[in-house]
Amino acid sequence: MFEKFTQKAIEIVTQAQEEAQRLGHYQIRSEHLLLALYIQTKGAQAKILEFDKIERSKLIEEINFSIGAKINPSGHHEVTFSKSAKRILDV
């Protein structure tokens, strides 16, 4: 899947995986991709996307709210991609 990705895109996907694990979620969802994009985007790009107006803690709060009970109950750190995240990555 990743053979067509740029190095930056691979870094964002890796960041999304790390964030999902850190938050205790068992799937990488589109929300985690957004969070990774937020974390990885700096400077003018952040201003264009208006990320400079978003607080990281609020974004994480909203992600936890939207995912709800989908927290990994076993504590196992293997995460998979949700269908929506796979669609985003395929595009």
Side-chain angles (χ1 to χ4, degrees):
M1 173 190 294
F2 301 115
E3 60 275 353
K4 296 179 184 179
F5 284 23
T6 64
Q7 183 60 38
K8 189 65 174 172
I10 291 169
E11 290 171 11
I12 289 171
V13 172
T14 301
Q15 182 81 47
Q17 291 171 317
E18 291 170 3
E19 292 301 317
Q21 287 176 333
R22 188 180 66 73
L23 294 171
H25 301 148
Y26 70 93
Q27 279 192 324
I28 300 160
R29 296 172 45 129
S30 55
E31 292 92 336
H32 298 108
L33 293 169
L34 175 64
L35 178 58
L37 186 61
Y38 169 84
I39 292 167
Q40 294 278 328
T41 303
K42 308 270 188 268
Q45 293 173 334
K47 288 184 181 190
I48 290 168
L49 296 171
E50 297 190 349
F51 283 163
D52 59 329
K53 297 178 183 175
I54 300 171
E55 291 181 40
R56 182 178 178 165
S57 61
K58 288 297 268 179
L59 183 56
I60 290 171
E61 185 179 309
E62 290 297 321
I63 289 170
N64 280 326
F65 178 77
S66 81
I67 292 175
K70 296 184 177 166
I71 292 178
N72 188 349
S74 69
H76 185 52
H77 290 289
E78 184 178 337
V79 293
T80 60
F81 290 98
S82 69
K83 288 180 183 179
S84 64
K86 285 180 185 177
R87 279 194 305 269
I88 290 169
L89 295 174
D90 283 340
V91 172

